[in-house]
Amino acid sequence: MEMKKEALAGTLESSDAMVRIGPSDEPGIQLELESLVKQQFGAAIELVVRETLASLGVTRARVAIDDKGALDCILRARVQAAALRAAGQVHFPWSPR
């Protein structure tokens, strides 16, 4: 899935995350993470983000996340929403998890 424009999903409220995704000139996923719990859970957050993008077929993107303690399910939902918006998708490939 190609990122065509920059898009946002989420809020800066407690237990949520603001996810910004946009196109990148460089190959791969460039991930910038700000989190209240980065020291304890930074690696796990990064894994959830990269797995979610991989499941959507995103191979090139710039991603910035400002996490306020979001659970994995919230983080997945925010990343999916932002990626689909950035790709200009109108039909959503939802599947049970």
Coordinates of all heavy atoms in Angstrom, one line a residue:
M1 N 0.8 -1.2 0.0 CA 0.0 0.0 0.0 C 0.9 1.2 0.0 O 1.8 1.4 0.8 CB -0.9 0.0 1.2 CG -1.8 1.1 1.4 SD -2.8 1.2 2.9 CE -3.6 -0.4 2.9
E2 N 0.6 2.1 -0.9 CA 1.4 3.4 -1.0 C 0.8 4.5 -0.3 O -0.4 4.8 -0.4 CB 1.5 3.7 -2.5 CG 2.3 5.0 -2.7 CD 2.3 5.4 -4.2 OE1 1.8 4.7 -5.0 OE2 2.7 6.5 -4.5
M3 N 1.6 5.2 0.5 CA 1.2 6.4 1.2 C 1.2 7.6 0.3 O 2.3 7.9 -0.3 CB 2.1 6.7 2.4 CG 2.2 5.6 3.4 SD 0.7 5.2 4.3 CE 0.1 3.8 3.4
K4 N 0.1 8.2 0.0 CA -0.1 9.2 -1.0 C 0.0 10.6 -0.4 O 0.3 11.6 -1.0 CB -1.4 9.1 -1.8 CG -1.4 7.8 -2.6 CD -2.7 7.6 -3.3 CE -2.7 6.3 -4.0 NZ -4.0 6.0 -4.6
K5 N -0.4 10.7 0.9 CA -0.5 12.0 1.6 C -0.3 11.8 3.1 O -0.3 10.6 3.5 CB -1.8 12.7 1.3 CG -3.0 11.9 1.9 CD -4.3 12.6 1.6 CE -5.5 11.7 2.1 NZ -6.7 12.3 1.8
E6 N -0.1 12.8 3.8 CA 0.0 12.7 5.2 C -1.3 12.6 5.9 O -2.3 13.3 5.5 CB 0.8 13.9 5.8 CG 1.2 13.7 7.2 CD 2.3 14.7 7.7 OE1 3.4 14.7 7.2 OE2 1.9 15.5 8.6
A7 N -1.5 11.8 6.9 CA -2.7 11.6 7.6 C -2.5 11.4 9.1 O -1.4 10.9 9.5 CB -3.5 10.4 7.0
L8 N -3.5 11.7 9.8 CA -3.5 11.6 11.3 C -4.6 10.7 11.8 O -5.7 10.6 11.1 CB -3.7 12.9 12.0 CG -2.7 14.0 11.8 CD1 -3.2 15.3 12.4 CD2 -1.4 13.6 12.6
A9 N -4.4 10.0 12.9 CA -5.5 9.3 13.6 C -5.1 9.3 15.1 O -4.0 9.3 15.5 CB -5.6 7.9 13.2
G10 N -6.2 9.5 16.0 CA -6.0 9.4 17.4 C -6.0 10.8 18.0 O -6.3 11.8 17.4
T11 N -5.8 10.8 19.4 CA -5.8 12.0 20.2 C -4.6 12.0 21.1 O -3.8 11.0 21.2 CB -7.1 12.1 21.0 OG1 -7.0 11.1 22.1 CG2 -8.3 11.9 20.2
L12 N -4.4 13.1 21.8 CA -3.4 13.2 22.8 C -3.9 13.0 24.2 O -3.3 13.4 25.2 CB -2.6 14.6 22.7 CG -1.9 14.7 21.4 CD1 -1.3 16.1 21.3 CD2 -0.8 13.7 21.2
E13 N -5.1 12.4 24.3 CA -5.7 12.1 25.6 C -4.9 11.0 26.3 O -4.3 10.1 25.6 CB -7.2 11.7 25.4 CG -8.0 12.8 24.9 CD -8.2 14.0 25.8 OE1 -8.3 13.8 27.0 OE2 -8.2 15.1 25.3
S14 N -5.1 10.8 27.6 CA -4.5 9.7 28.3 C -5.0 8.4 27.8 O -6.2 8.3 27.4 CB -4.9 9.9 29.8 OG -4.3 8.8 30.5
S15 N -4.2 7.4 27.7 CA -4.5 6.1 27.2 C -4.8 6.0 25.7 O -5.5 5.1 25.2 CB -5.6 5.4 28.0 OG -5.3 5.4 29.3
D16 N -4.3 7.0 24.9 CA -4.5 7.0 23.5 C -3.2 7.3 22.8 O -2.2 7.4 23.5 CB -5.6 8.1 23.1 CG -6.2 7.9 21.7 OD1 -5.8 6.9 21.0 OD2 -7.1 8.6 21.4
A17 N -3.2 7.4 21.5 CA -2.0 7.8 20.8 C -2.4 8.6 19.6 O -3.4 8.3 18.9 CB -1.2 6.5 20.4
M18 N -1.5 9.5 19.2 CA -1.7 10.3 18.0 C -0.7 9.7 17.0 O 0.5 9.6 17.2 CB -1.3 11.8 18.2 CG -1.4 12.6 16.9 SD -3.0 12.8 16.3 CE -3.6 14.0 17.4
V19 N -1.2 9.2 15.8 CA -0.4 8.6 14.8 C -0.4 9.4 13.6 O -1.5 9.8 13.1 CB -0.9 7.1 14.5 CG1 0.0 6.5 13.4 CG2 -0.8 6.3 15.8
R20 N 0.8 9.8 13.1 CA 0.9 10.5 11.8 C 1.7 9.7 10.8 O 2.8 9.2 11.1 CB 1.6 11.8 12.1 CG 1.9 12.7 10.8 CD 2.5 14.0 11.2 NE 1.5 14.6 12.1 CZ 1.6 15.8 12.5 NH1 2.6 16.6 12.2 NH2 0.7 16.3 13.4
I21 N 1.1 9.5 9.7 CA 1.8 8.7 8.6 C 1.8 9.5 7.3 O 0.8 10.1 7.0 CB 1.1 7.3 8.4 CG1 1.1 6.5 9.7 CG2 1.7 6.5 7.3 CD1 0.4 5.2 9.6
G22 N 2.9 9.4 6.6 CA 3.0 10.1 5.3 C 4.0 9.4 4.4 O 4.7 8.4 4.8
P23 N 4.0 9.8 3.2 CA 5.0 9.2 2.2 C 6.4 9.5 2.7 O 6.7 10.4 3.4 CB 4.7 9.9 0.9 CG 3.8 11.1 1.3 CD 3.3 10.9 2.6
S24 N 7.3 8.6 2.2 CA 8.7 8.8 2.5 C 9.6 8.6 1.2 O 9.2 7.9 0.3 CB 9.1 7.7 3.5 OG 10.5 7.7 3.7
D25 N 10.6 9.4 1.1 CA 11.6 9.3 0.0 C 12.5 8.1 0.2 O 13.1 7.6 -0.8 CB 12.4 10.6 -0.2 CG 11.5 11.7 -0.5 OD1 10.4 11.5 -1.2 OD2 11.8 12.9 -0.2
E26 N 12.6 7.6 1.4 CA 13.6 6.6 1.7 C 12.8 5.2 1.8 O 11.7 5.2 2.2 CB 14.2 6.8 3.1 CG 15.0 8.1 3.1 CD 15.6 8.4 4.5 OE1 15.8 7.4 5.2 OE2 15.8 9.6 4.8
P27 N 13.5 4.1 1.4 CA 12.8 2.8 1.6 C 12.6 2.4 3.0 O 13.4 2.9 3.9 CB 13.8 1.9 0.9 CG 15.1 2.6 0.9 CD 14.8 4.0 0.9
G28 N 11.6 1.6 3.3 CA 11.4 1.1 4.6 C 10.5 2.1 5.4 O 9.9 3.1 4.9
I29 N 10.3 1.7 6.7 CA 9.5 2.5 7.6 C 10.4 3.3 8.5 O 11.2 2.8 9.3 CB 8.6 1.5 8.5 CG1 7.8 0.6 7.6 CG2 7.7 2.3 9.4 CD1 6.8 1.2 6.7
Q30 N 10.3 4.6 8.4 CA 11.0 5.5 9.3 C 10.1 5.8 10.5 O 9.0 6.5 10.3 CB 11.4 6.8 8.6 CG 12.6 6.7 7.7 CD 12.3 5.9 6.5 OE1 11.4 6.3 5.8 NE2 13.1 4.9 6.2
L31 N 10.4 5.3 11.7 CA 9.5 5.4 12.8 C 10.1 6.3 13.9 O 11.2 6.1 14.3 CB 9.2 4.0 13.4 CG 8.4 3.9 14.6 CD1 7.0 4.5 14.4 CD2 8.2 2.5 15.1
E32 N 9.3 7.3 14.3 CA 9.7 8.2 15.4 C 8.7 8.0 16.5 O 7.5 8.2 16.3 CB 9.7 9.7 14.9 CG 10.0 10.7 15.9 CD 9.9 12.1 15.3 OE1 10.4 12.3 14.2 OE2 9.4 13.0 16.0
L33 N 9.1 7.7 17.7 CA 8.2 7.4 18.8 C 8.5 8.3 20.0 O 9.6 8.4 20.5 CB 8.4 5.9 19.2 CG 7.7 5.5 20.5 CD1 6.2 5.6 20.3 CD2 8.1 4.0 20.8
E34 N 7.4 8.9 20.5 CA 7.4 9.7 21.7 C 6.4 9.0 22.6 O 5.3 8.8 22.2 CB 7.0 11.1 21.5 CG 8.1 12.0 20.8 CD 9.4 12.1 21.5 OE1 9.3 12.2 22.8 OE2 10.4 12.1 20.9
S35 N 6.8 8.6 23.8 CA 5.9 7.8 24.6 C 6.2 8.1 26.1 O 7.4 8.1 26.5 CB 6.0 6.3 24.4 OG 5.1 5.6 25.2
L36 N 5.1 8.1 26.9 CA 5.3 8.2 28.4 C 5.9 7.0 28.9 O 6.6 7.0 30.0 CB 3.9 8.4 29.0 CG 3.2 9.7 28.6 CD1 1.8 9.7 29.2 CD2 4.0 10.9 29.1
V37 N 5.8 5.9 28.2 CA 6.3 4.6 28.7 C 7.3 4.0 27.7 O 7.5 2.8 27.7 CB 5.1 3.6 28.9 CG1 4.2 4.0 30.0 CG2 4.3 3.4 27.6
K38 N 8.0 4.8 27.0 CA 9.0 4.4 26.0 C 10.1 3.5 26.7 O 10.5 2.5 26.1 CB 9.6 5.6 25.3 CG 10.5 5.2 24.2 CD 11.0 6.4 23.5 CE 11.9 6.1 22.3 NZ 12.3 7.3 21.5
Q39 N 10.5 3.9 27.8 CA 11.6 3.1 28.4 C 11.2 1.7 28.7 O 12.0 0.7 28.5 CB 12.1 3.8 29.7 CG 13.3 3.2 30.3 CD 13.9 4.0 31.4 OE1 13.2 4.9 32.0 NE2 15.1 3.7 31.8
Q40 N 10.0 1.5 29.2 CA 9.5 0.1 29.5 C 8.9 -0.6 28.3 O 9.1 -1.8 28.1 CB 8.4 0.2 30.6 CG 8.8 0.7 31.9 CD 8.3 2.1 32.1 OE1 8.1 2.9 31.2 NE2 8.0 2.4 33.4
F41 N 8.2 0.1 27.4 CA 7.4 -0.6 26.4 C 7.8 -0.1 24.9 O 7.0 -0.5 24.0 CB 5.9 -0.4 26.6 CG 5.5 -0.9 27.9 CD1 5.1 -0.1 29.0 CD2 5.4 -2.3 28.1 CE1 4.7 -0.6 30.2 CE2 5.0 -2.8 29.4 CZ 4.6 -2.0 30.4
G42 N 8.8 0.7 24.8 CA 9.2 1.2 23.4 C 9.3 0.1 22.4 O 8.8 0.2 21.3
A43 N 10.0 -1.0 22.7 CA 10.2 -2.0 21.7 C 8.9 -2.7 21.4 O 8.7 -3.1 20.2 CB 11.2 -3.1 22.3
A44 N 8.0 -2.9 22.4 CA 6.8 -3.6 22.1 C 5.9 -2.7 21.2 O 5.2 -3.1 20.3 CB 6.1 -3.9 23.4
I45 N 5.9 -1.4 21.5 CA 5.1 -0.4 20.7 C 5.6 -0.4 19.3 O 4.8 -0.5 18.3 CB 5.2 1.0 21.3 CG1 4.5 1.0 22.7 CG2 4.6 2.0 20.3 CD1 4.8 2.3 23.5
E46 N 6.9 -0.4 19.1 CA 7.5 -0.4 17.7 C 7.1 -1.7 17.0 O 6.7 -1.7 15.8 CB 9.0 -0.3 17.8 CG 9.6 -0.2 16.4 CD 11.1 0.2 16.4 OE1 11.6 0.7 17.4 OE2 11.7 -0.1 15.4
L47 N 7.1 -2.8 17.7 CA 6.7 -4.1 17.1 C 5.3 -4.1 16.6 O 5.0 -4.5 15.5 CB 7.0 -5.2 18.1 CG 6.7 -6.6 17.5 CD1 7.6 -7.0 16.4 CD2 6.9 -7.7 18.7
V48 N 4.4 -3.6 17.5 CA 3.0 -3.5 17.1 C 2.8 -2.6 15.9 O 2.1 -3.0 14.9 CB 2.1 -3.0 18.3 CG1 0.7 -2.6 17.8 CG2 2.0 -4.0 19.4
V49 N 3.4 -1.5 15.8 CA 3.3 -0.6 14.7 C 3.8 -1.2 13.4 O 3.2 -1.2 12.4 CB 4.1 0.8 15.0 CG1 4.1 1.6 13.7 CG2 3.4 1.5 16.1
R50 N 5.0 -1.8 13.5 CA 5.6 -2.4 12.3 C 4.8 -3.6 11.8 O 4.6 -3.8 10.6 CB 7.1 -2.8 12.5 CG 8.0 -1.6 12.7 CD 9.4 -1.9 12.8 NE 10.2 -0.8 13.0 CZ 10.7 0.1 12.1 NH1 10.3 -0.1 10.8 NH2 11.4 1.1 12.4
E51 N 4.3 -4.5 12.7 CA 3.4 -5.6 12.3 C 2.1 -5.1 11.7 O 1.7 -5.7 10.7 CB 3.1 -6.5 13.5 CG 4.3 -7.3 14.0 CD 3.9 -8.2 15.2 OE1 2.9 -7.9 15.9 OE2 4.7 -9.1 15.5
T52 N 1.5 -4.1 12.2 CA 0.3 -3.6 11.7 C 0.5 -3.0 10.3 O -0.3 -3.3 9.4 CB -0.3 -2.5 12.6 OG1 -0.5 -3.0 13.9 CG2 -1.6 -2.0 12.1
L53 N 1.6 -2.3 10.1 CA 1.9 -1.7 8.8 C 2.2 -2.9 7.8 O 1.7 -2.8 6.6 CB 3.0 -0.7 8.8 CG 2.7 0.6 9.5 CD1 4.0 1.4 9.7 CD2 1.7 1.4 8.8
A54 N 2.9 -3.9 8.2 CA 3.2 -5.0 7.3 C 1.9 -5.7 6.9 O 1.8 -6.2 5.8 CB 4.2 -6.0 8.0
S55 N 1.0 -5.9 7.9 CA -0.3 -6.6 7.5 C -1.1 -5.8 6.5 O -1.9 -6.4 5.8 CB -1.1 -6.8 8.8 OG -1.7 -5.6 9.3
L56 N -0.9 -4.5 6.4 CA -1.6 -3.7 5.4 C -0.8 -3.6 4.1 O -1.3 -3.0 3.2 CB -1.8 -2.3 6.0 CG -2.8 -2.2 7.2 CD1 -2.7 -0.8 7.8 CD2 -4.2 -2.5 6.7
G57 N 0.4 -4.1 4.1 CA 1.2 -4.0 2.9 C 2.0 -2.7 2.7 O 2.4 -2.4 1.6
V58 N 2.2 -2.0 3.8 CA 2.9 -0.7 3.8 C 4.4 -1.1 3.9 O 4.8 -1.7 4.9 CB 2.5 0.2 4.9 CG1 3.3 1.5 4.9 CG2 1.0 0.5 4.8
T59 N 5.2 -0.7 2.9 CA 6.6 -1.0 2.9 C 7.5 0.3 2.9 O 8.7 0.2 3.2 CB 7.0 -1.8 1.7 OG1 6.6 -1.0 0.5 CG2 6.3 -3.1 1.7
R60 N 6.8 1.5 2.7 CA 7.6 2.7 2.7 C 6.7 3.8 3.3 O 5.6 4.1 2.8 CB 7.9 3.1 1.3 CG 8.7 4.4 1.1 CD 9.0 4.7 -0.3 NE 10.0 3.8 -0.8 CZ 10.9 4.1 -1.7 NH1 10.9 5.3 -2.3 NH2 11.9 3.3 -2.0
A61 N 7.1 4.4 4.4 CA 6.4 5.4 5.1 C 7.2 6.1 6.1 O 8.1 5.5 6.7 CB 5.1 4.8 5.7
R62 N 6.8 7.3 6.4 CA 7.3 8.1 7.6 C 6.2 8.0 8.6 O 5.1 8.4 8.4 CB 7.5 9.5 7.1 CG 8.8 10.1 7.6 CD 9.0 11.5 7.0 NE 8.0 12.0 6.1 CZ 7.0 12.8 6.4 NH1 6.8 13.1 7.6 NH2 6.2 13.2 5.4
V63 N 6.5 7.6 9.8 CA 5.5 7.4 10.9 C 6.0 8.1 12.2 O 7.2 7.9 12.6 CB 5.3 5.9 11.2 CG1 4.3 5.7 12.3 CG2 5.0 5.1 9.9
A64 N 5.1 8.9 12.7 CA 5.4 9.6 14.0 C 4.3 9.3 15.0 O 3.1 9.4 14.6 CB 5.6 11.1 13.8
I65 N 4.7 8.8 16.1 CA 3.7 8.4 17.1 C 4.0 9.1 18.4 O 5.1 9.2 18.9 CB 3.8 6.9 17.4 CG1 3.4 6.1 16.1 CG2 2.8 6.5 18.5 CD1 3.5 4.7 16.1
D66 N 2.9 9.7 19.0 CA 3.0 10.3 20.3 C 2.0 9.5 21.2 O 0.8 9.7 21.1 CB 2.5 11.8 20.2 CG 2.9 12.6 21.5 OD1 3.1 11.9 22.5 OD2 2.8 13.8 21.5
D67 N 2.6 8.6 21.9 CA 1.8 7.7 22.7 C 1.6 8.2 24.1 O 2.5 8.7 24.8 CB 2.6 6.3 22.8 CG 1.9 5.4 23.7 OD1 0.8 5.0 23.5 OD2 2.6 4.9 24.7
K68 N 0.4 8.1 24.6 CA 0.0 8.5 26.0 C -0.4 7.3 26.8 O -1.3 7.4 27.6 CB -1.1 9.5 25.9 CG -0.7 10.8 25.2 CD 0.5 11.5 25.8 CE 0.7 12.8 25.1 NZ 2.0 13.4 25.5
G69 N 0.2 6.1 26.5 CA -0.1 4.9 27.3 C -1.2 4.1 26.6 O -1.9 3.3 27.3
A70 N -1.3 4.1 25.3 CA -2.4 3.3 24.6 C -2.1 1.8 24.7 O -1.0 1.4 24.6 CB -2.4 3.7 23.1
L71 N -3.2 1.1 24.8 CA -3.1 -0.4 24.7 C -2.8 -0.8 23.3 O -3.0 0.0 22.4 CB -4.4 -1.0 25.2 CG -4.8 -0.8 26.6 CD1 -6.2 -1.4 26.9 CD2 -3.8 -1.4 27.6
D72 N -2.3 -2.0 23.1 CA -2.0 -2.5 21.8 C -3.2 -2.4 20.8 O -3.0 -2.0 19.6 CB -1.5 -4.0 21.8 CG -0.2 -4.2 22.5 OD1 0.5 -3.1 22.8 OD2 0.3 -5.3 22.6
C73 N -4.4 -2.8 21.2 CA -5.5 -2.7 20.3 C -5.8 -1.3 19.9 O -6.2 -1.1 18.7 CB -6.8 -3.4 21.0 SG -7.3 -2.6 22.5
I74 N -5.6 -0.3 20.7 CA -5.8 1.1 20.4 C -4.8 1.5 19.4 O -5.0 2.2 18.4 CB -5.8 2.0 21.6 CG1 -6.9 1.6 22.6 CG2 -5.9 3.5 21.2 CD1 -8.3 1.7 22.1
L75 N -3.5 1.1 19.7 CA -2.4 1.5 18.8 C -2.6 0.9 17.4 O -2.4 1.6 16.4 CB -1.1 1.0 19.4 CG 0.2 1.6 18.9 CD1 0.2 3.1 18.9 CD2 1.3 1.0 19.7
R76 N -3.0 -0.4 17.3 CA -3.3 -1.0 16.0 C -4.4 -0.2 15.3 O -4.2 0.0 14.1 CB -3.8 -2.5 16.2 CG -2.6 -3.4 16.3 CD -3.2 -4.9 16.2 NE -2.3 -5.7 17.0 CZ -2.4 -6.1 18.3 NH1 -3.5 -5.7 18.9 NH2 -1.5 -6.8 18.8
A77 N -5.5 0.1 15.9 CA -6.6 0.8 15.3 C -6.1 2.2 14.8 O -6.5 2.6 13.7 CB -7.7 1.0 16.3
R78 N -5.3 2.9 15.6 CA -4.9 4.2 15.1 C -3.9 4.1 13.9 O -4.0 4.9 13.0 CB -4.2 4.9 16.3 CG -5.0 5.2 17.5 CD -6.3 5.9 17.2 NE -7.0 6.4 18.4 CZ -8.2 6.7 18.4 NH1 -9.0 6.6 17.4 NH2 -8.8 7.1 19.6
V79 N -3.0 3.1 14.0 CA -2.1 2.9 12.8 C -2.9 2.6 11.6 O -2.6 3.1 10.5 CB -1.0 1.9 13.2 CG1 -0.2 1.5 12.0 CG2 -0.1 2.4 14.3
Q80 N -3.8 1.6 11.7 CA -4.6 1.2 10.5 C -5.4 2.4 10.0 O -5.4 2.7 8.8 CB -5.6 0.2 10.9 CG -5.0 -1.2 11.2 CD -6.0 -2.2 11.7 OE1 -7.2 -1.9 12.0 NE2 -5.7 -3.5 11.7
A81 N -6.1 3.2 10.8 CA -6.8 4.3 10.4 C -6.0 5.4 9.7 O -6.3 5.8 8.6 CB -7.6 5.0 11.5
A82 N -4.8 5.7 10.3 CA -3.9 6.7 9.6 C -3.4 6.2 8.3 O -3.3 6.9 7.3 CB -2.8 7.0 10.6
A83 N -3.0 4.9 8.2 CA -2.4 4.4 7.0 C -3.5 4.3 5.9 O -3.2 4.7 4.8 CB -1.9 3.0 7.3
L84 N -4.7 3.9 6.2 CA -5.7 3.9 5.2 C -6.1 5.3 4.7 O -6.3 5.5 3.5 CB -7.0 3.1 5.7 CG -6.7 1.6 6.0 CD1 -7.9 1.0 6.8 CD2 -6.5 0.9 4.7
R85 N -6.1 6.2 5.6 CA -6.4 7.6 5.2 C -5.2 8.1 4.3 O -5.5 8.8 3.3 CB -6.5 8.5 6.4 CG -7.7 8.3 7.2 CD -7.7 9.1 8.5 NE -8.9 8.8 9.3 CZ -9.1 9.1 10.5 NH1 -8.2 9.8 11.2 NH2 -10.2 8.8 11.2
A86 N -4.0 7.8 4.7 CA -2.8 8.3 3.9 C -2.8 7.7 2.6 O -2.3 8.3 1.6 CB -1.5 8.0 4.7
A87 N -3.3 6.5 2.4 CA -3.3 5.8 1.1 C -4.5 6.2 0.3 O -4.6 5.8 -0.9 CB -3.3 4.3 1.3
G88 N -5.5 6.9 0.9 CA -6.7 7.3 0.2 C -7.6 6.2 0.0 O -8.4 6.2 -1.0
Q89 N -7.6 5.2 0.8 CA -8.5 4.0 0.7 C -9.9 4.4 1.1 O -10.1 5.1 2.1 CB -8.0 2.9 1.7 CG -6.7 2.3 1.3 CD -6.8 1.3 0.1 OE1 -7.8 0.7 -0.1 NE2 -5.8 1.3 -0.8
V90 N -10.9 3.9 0.4 CA -12.3 4.1 0.7 C -12.9 2.7 1.1 O -14.0 2.7 1.7 CB -13.0 4.8 -0.4 CG1 -12.6 6.2 -0.5 CG2 -12.9 4.0 -1.7
H91 N -12.3 1.6 0.7 CA -12.8 0.3 1.0 C -11.8 -0.3 2.0 O -10.6 -0.4 1.7 CB -12.9 -0.6 -0.2 CG -13.9 0.0 -1.2 ND1 -15.2 0.0 -1.0 CD2 -13.6 0.6 -2.4 CE1 -15.8 0.6 -2.1 NE2 -14.9 0.9 -2.9
F92 N -12.3 -0.7 3.2 CA -11.4 -1.1 4.2 C -11.3 -2.6 4.3 O -12.3 -3.3 4.4 CB -11.9 -0.6 5.5 CG -12.0 0.9 5.5 CD1 -13.2 1.5 5.6 CD2 -10.9 1.7 5.3 CE1 -13.4 2.9 5.5 CE2 -11.0 3.1 5.2 CZ -12.3 3.7 5.3
P93 N -10.1 -3.2 4.3 CA -9.9 -4.6 4.3 C -9.9 -5.2 5.7 O -8.9 -5.8 6.2 CB -8.5 -4.8 3.7 CG -7.8 -3.5 4.1 CD -8.8 -2.5 4.1
W94 N -11.0 -5.0 6.4 CA -11.1 -5.5 7.8 C -11.1 -7.0 7.8 O -11.7 -7.7 7.0 CB -12.3 -5.0 8.5 CG -12.4 -3.5 8.5 CD1 -13.5 -2.7 8.0 CD2 -11.5 -2.5 9.0 NE1 -13.2 -1.4 8.2 CE2 -12.0 -1.2 8.8 CE3 -10.2 -2.6 9.6 CZ2 -11.3 -0.1 9.1 CZ3 -9.6 -1.5 9.9 CH2 -10.1 -0.2 9.7
S95 N -10.5 -7.6 8.8 CA -10.5 -9.0 9.0 C -10.5 -9.3 10.5 O -9.9 -8.5 11.3 CB -9.3 -9.7 8.4 OG -8.1 -9.3 8.9
P96 N -11.1 -10.3 11.0 CA -11.1 -10.6 12.4 C -9.7 -11.0 12.8 O -8.9 -11.5 12.1 CB -12.0 -11.8 12.5 CG -12.2 -12.4 11.2 CD -11.9 -11.3 10.2
R97 N -9.4 -10.7 14.1 CA -8.0 -10.9 14.6 C -8.1 -11.9 15.7 O -8.9 -11.9 16.6 CB -7.4 -9.6 15.1 CG -5.9 -9.8 15.2 CD -5.3 -8.4 15.1 NE -4.1 -8.4 14.4 CZ -2.9 -8.7 14.8 NH1 -2.7 -9.1 16.0 NH2 -1.9 -8.6 14.1

